[in-house]
Amino acid sequence: KQWYQRRVRGTLGVTVHEEEAAEAEKLFHDFKLGEYVEIMGGQDKGKHAKILSLSLETSRCIVRLPSEEMIDLAIINIKKGSREEYLRLRDQANESVSEDVFANKPCKKVVSGVADPAKSKHSNGNSNQKAWLHQDLKVRVVCENFLGGKYYCKKLDIVDIIDPWTCVCRSEKGKLIENVPQSILETVIPKSKGSLVMLLSKSNQFELAELEEKDSKSSSVICVTLIEKDVVRASYDEVCQFVGDAIR
């Protein structure tokens, strides 16, 4: 058994070959965020999924399966899929989860989100938190002891994920910083309306949205998802500025 479970399956150790990149570039513009696809290779071959993000730079995409699991795939491994089939399988998966819940003894109530609001104003990482690191998020260092305090209160961009709790960041001066733990980071909330953010709560995890309103008194924001155009209210713990490319 692995010592950790990947947040997004298949994201580590990715190498993009020239042939794959060339073919992916041809296919890239055939797909868009929110589109339903079918997986053509690997252990998930034949499964239907929904596109959450696309990257021409890495020739890969992140998709959500009907089971709510998210996986990272090469763009060349997907083709147009069926919305009806995806929704049918999602409903089937939800029914299965409900049956499992009633079949087992009652569990303690779990509050969705990436942090306990009573313990933290931002997502600055404690043992009770879920992994929320994702490439292209802008984050802030909140630990005075990290690298001698050189980056304390500084903003960094996440450029790669080592494991669900550790990442590689780029400073504002372009310096790469390796082995940055989630526990010393907090989310960054953009100031301007229309800025891109990524949702981190369980119900909308890793979906992109546009910022509509920011309420500093309640430490919350209102944003609109890019895919479904849903209006979502989220705490500062459940949203972070996204600095990557997105098709709007």
Side-chain angles (χ1 to χ4, degrees):
K1 184 177 181 181
Q2 291 182 323
W3 68 274
Y4 69 84
Q5 182 178 3
R6 291 181 183 175
R7 164 182 59 74
V8 179
R9 178 152 48 85
T11 58
L12 305 182
V14 174
T15 301
V16 181
H17 299 286
E18 291 184 6
E19 297 83 358
E20 179 181 322
E23 187 174 351
E25 186 171 0
K26 295 177 182 178
L27 295 171
F28 180 78
H29 299 289
D30 291 338
F31 299 103
K32 60 183 180 180
L33 295 179
E35 191 164 9
Y36 297 91
V37 296
E38 183 179 341
I39 300 171
M40 296 192 296
Q43 67 185 80
D44 298 298
K45 182 178 180 180
K47 293 183 180 180
H48 289 260
K50 184 177 182 179
I51 296 177
L52 296 182
S53 68
L54 289 161
S55 172
L56 182 57
E57 182 180 357
T58 62
S59 303
R60 302 184 74 81
C61 62
I62 293 177
V63 301
R64 175 179 284 150
L65 298 176
S67 64
E68 299 299 321
E69 181 184 8
M70 286 168 289
I71 58 176
D72 185 300
L73 297 167
I75 293 176
I76 61 173
N77 280 336
I78 59 174
K79 65 179 182 179
K80 301 287 184 178
S82 165
R83 177 178 183 273
E84 292 73 20
E85 181 65 8
Y86 175 88
L87 295 177
R88 183 186 71 79
L89 293 172
R90 187 186 66 179
D91 292 341
Q92 191 177 80
N94 289 338
E95 289 176 3
S96 177
V97 169
S98 298
E99 290 174 0
D100 289 342
V101 169
F102 285 111
N104 293 286
K105 63 181 181 180
C107 300
K108 293 181 179 180
K109 183 178 180 182
V110 177
V111 180
S112 63
V114 293
D116 182 348
K119 296 182 179 179
S120 171
K121 182 181 179 182
H122 278 291
S123 296
N124 55 7
N126 64 41
S127 59
N128 294 323
Q129 289 187 8
K130 296 180 180 179
W132 53 267
L133 298 177
H134 193 286
Q135 188 176 355
D136 293 327
L137 291 184
K138 185 174 287 292
V139 294
R140 182 183 288 106
V141 176
V142 293
C143 177
E144 296 183 54
N145 298 324
F146 180 66
L147 295 181
K150 182 178 180 180
Y151 296 102
Y152 179 56
C153 287
K154 300 292 186 182
K155 295 178 182 178
L156 307 174
D157 293 344
I158 298 177
V159 297
D160 198 8
I161 303 298
I162 297 174
D163 64 48
W165 305 97
T166 316
C167 61
V168 178
C169 294
R170 181 187 293 113
S171 72
E172 294 177 329
K173 294 183 179 180
K175 181 179 176 63
L176 288 179
I177 309 165
E178 297 185 353
N179 299 314
V180 182
Q182 176 181 294
S183 59
I184 69 158
L185 301 174
E186 71 173 11
T187 56
V188 169
I189 311 301
K191 297 178 180 179
S192 305
K193 178 180 178 180
S195 297
L196 276 179
V197 295
M198 179 170 281
L199 300 173
L200 306 175
S201 62
K202 182 178 179 181
S203 57
N204 300 97
Q205 193 172 31
F206 305 130
E207 286 194 38
L208 294 178
E210 286 188 354
L211 180 66
E212 285 293 315
E213 296 181 24
K214 179 179 176 181
D215 187 349
S216 57
K217 290 183 179 180
S218 64
S219 297
S220 65
V221 299
I222 295 177
C223 46
V224 179
T225 61
L226 294 187
I227 296 176
E228 304 291 352
K229 302 302 180 184
D230 293 329
V231 177
V232 177
R233 178 180 289 276
S235 71
Y236 284 0
D237 287 329
E238 299 173 324
V239 67
C240 190
Q241 184 173 358
F242 183 78
V243 293
D245 295 325
I247 302 173
R248 305 203 198 192

